[in-house]
Amino acid sequence: LHSAGLYALLDTFFIFSALGFNVSGQGPSSKFLFHWMTAFPRDSRGDHLRICSQEKTCCSSEMEDSFGHQSKTVFENMFDGISEDLRTTFMSRHKRFDEFFLELLDNTERSLNEMFVRTYGKPYMQNAEVFQNLFAELKRYYTGGNVNLEEMLNDFWTRLLERMFQLLNSQYSITEDYLECINKYMDQLKPFGDVPRKLKSQVTRAFIAARTFVQGLMVGREVANRVSKVNLTPACIRALTKMLYCPYCQGMASEKPCRNYCLNVVKGCLANQADLDPEWTQYIDAMLLVTDRLEGPFNIESVMEPIDVKISEAIMNMQDNSVQISHRVFQGCGQPKASGMARPARGISDAFSGRFRPYGPDERRTTAAGTSLDRLVIDIKEKLKSSKKFWSSLPLGMCLGEDVTASESSDDDCWNGHAKGRYFPEVLKDGLTHQANNPEVGVDITRPDTLIRQQIMALRVITNKLRNAYNGNDIYFQDSSDEGSGSGSGSGCSESCVPETEPTPTETLVVEAGRGEEQASSAHAHSSSLVLLILLFSALAVRSHWR
């Protein structure tokens, strides 16, 4: 045992054992190593060891160092494996929902275009860009663009009114100023009936819920990915080495750690991760709230699929009431000048005489992967519910397996960190503040992990957005009338929330769409300052004049 060559050989076997393979690479080699550990007398003191017992041992300092490196690798692999399902869930579901919503928009636009070409023909094709702009803005909003949905929809109906009024009164010369006058009477005239009001309510609620939910999945994915790359402290690595490999040095290679011993070690190593749990739980609850909106009457699928029918209903309403609408406009804005061109024998009313016939259920295109929103929501609700308490349950998940720790029936016959026997210390609670007196891992509770704190902040931001989305509010625009309110930041911070000096990449994903408002607010502030400056100089000039 005192031979350098024998130490090197044992060192090699220990490393292969830690990796879980025997010398031929065919499987576990613990029995083989146990034979080596017990075949030689442990008559060497461990004064050279820094972690394992300094009593009689069969480990060299090089072997102990190897165990330290291997402990880190084993723990990281275990943590990666146990969090893989969570990461995969958020990644795959984000991809599915995103594909579904984008394909739904594409299919709806294509369906409207085909039906309107078939029904309205040339008048539609000459004004198709009005509808193309509508879908382009809806898609831009969904993908994170700085779009005020209500204003955008108001603009759509305004543009449609202008185009239709010109078509219905083609014998007159309609100027830009005259069109502006028409728009002033939009609310009084209600040329499209009640369709714009109903559609605005449905579209805004549906798109706010869909966009925010997908953003929520993206943030959950990013948080899980970042936190799964665990940063182990030297104290944690020492504790893991003592728990996993020091029994080998005392000839007890077959002994597994006591379960409570393992729990204290892992709770100390993952103290910061456990602190994610309260914010994660609130985030999951908020995500589940928004799934109710994806299932309800304002879900984006039920709103978008019949949108061609609803817009056509609005067009028909204006066509049927064109005489009364034109008469009231002429009363308010005056009689426009004749264009000098006779009205065509076949008027616009004739061109719109074909009644709209939408696709039937069997004719409509299927959405992403041929699935439906209902199926996607049922699936994600189950996954979200199962991910609650994930971060605080990690220690139990990592220590529960009998391949890691001794069974509960072996509480008196397991490795307790010093010898074979019962583990007496109490299992600590989860989280950083409860690790001050961890008997196995030295934890500095005054220095929280920066990465974890950043992810907590990102969860707070998206949770606030999700709760607003559930109520039908887009926090980027709900206070847009209050100048300088800063409502467009989307920070989600209350007074107790201390923002980071720099936004994390995850936070950036959440607040990206709000940057346009901030820039506009800044430009307004500069403009206001300039006006004040001009007024000040004017006052000074007047004062100087009177002197």
Side-chain angles (χ1 to χ4, degrees), residues 80-236:
D80 183 73
I82 204 168
S83 63
E84 182 179 9
D85 185 55
L86 181 74
R87 288 180 283 119
T88 301
T89 292
F90 277 89
M91 181 175 67
S92 62
R93 270 53 179 193
H94 172 265
K95 185 173 184 290
R96 287 183 194 176
F97 273 91
D98 193 44
E99 286 179 347
F100 179 88
F101 291 143
L102 288 172
E103 193 167 338
L104 175 67
L105 288 175
D106 287 340
N107 286 348
T108 304
E109 181 178 11
R110 202 175 297 116
S111 173
L112 182 144
N113 182 67
E114 291 175 358
M115 288 296 99
F116 277 36
V117 167
R118 187 179 70 184
T119 304
Y120 302 127
K122 189 176 180 181
Y124 164 72
M125 289 185 282
Q126 289 175 336
N127 298 278
E129 74 273 9
V130 174
F131 303 89
Q132 291 166 359
N133 290 339
L134 169 67
F135 282 95
E137 288 297 284
L138 288 173
K139 190 175 293 186
R140 190 162 74 88
Y141 173 85
Y142 168 74
T143 55
N146 181 17
V147 178
N148 186 320
L149 282 175
E150 292 193 6
E151 290 182 4
M152 183 272 291
L153 289 169
N154 288 338
D155 287 344
F156 164 74
W157 292 112
T158 298
R159 299 287 85 76
L160 188 59
L161 170 62
E162 292 173 356
R163 297 298 180 91
M164 287 201 65
F165 188 85
Q166 288 175 303
L167 288 170
L168 291 165
N169 296 276
S170 57
Q171 71 273 33
Y172 296 108
S173 177
I174 309 295
T175 65
E176 289 295 324
D177 290 340
Y178 198 87
L179 290 176
E180 284 187 21
C181 181
I182 294 174
N183 293 332
K184 293 177 183 177
Y185 291 91
M186 181 87 168
D187 292 337
Q188 296 177 29
L189 294 172
K190 290 189 176 179
F192 302 114
D194 208 27
V195 174
R197 184 187 64 81
K198 289 180 179 179
L199 201 60
K200 180 162 64 175
S201 172
Q202 294 169 346
V203 168
T204 52
R205 293 178 73 91
F207 271 78
I208 289 169
R211 179 171 93 157
T212 310
F213 187 76
V214 171
Q215 286 181 345
L217 289 173
M218 180 172 59
V219 172
R221 180 194 70 189
E222 291 303 310
V223 169
N225 283 337
R226 295 174 197 278
V227 178
S228 293
K229 294 175 176 62
V230 62
N231 182 27
L232 300 181
T233 64
C236 170

Side-chain angles (χ1 to χ4, degrees), residues 456-469:
I456 288 174
M457 181 64 67
L459 289 172
R460 285 178 183 169
V461 171
I462 193 62
T463 299
N464 185 53
K465 273 203 71 179
L466 288 162
R467 287 171 178 164
N468 274 278

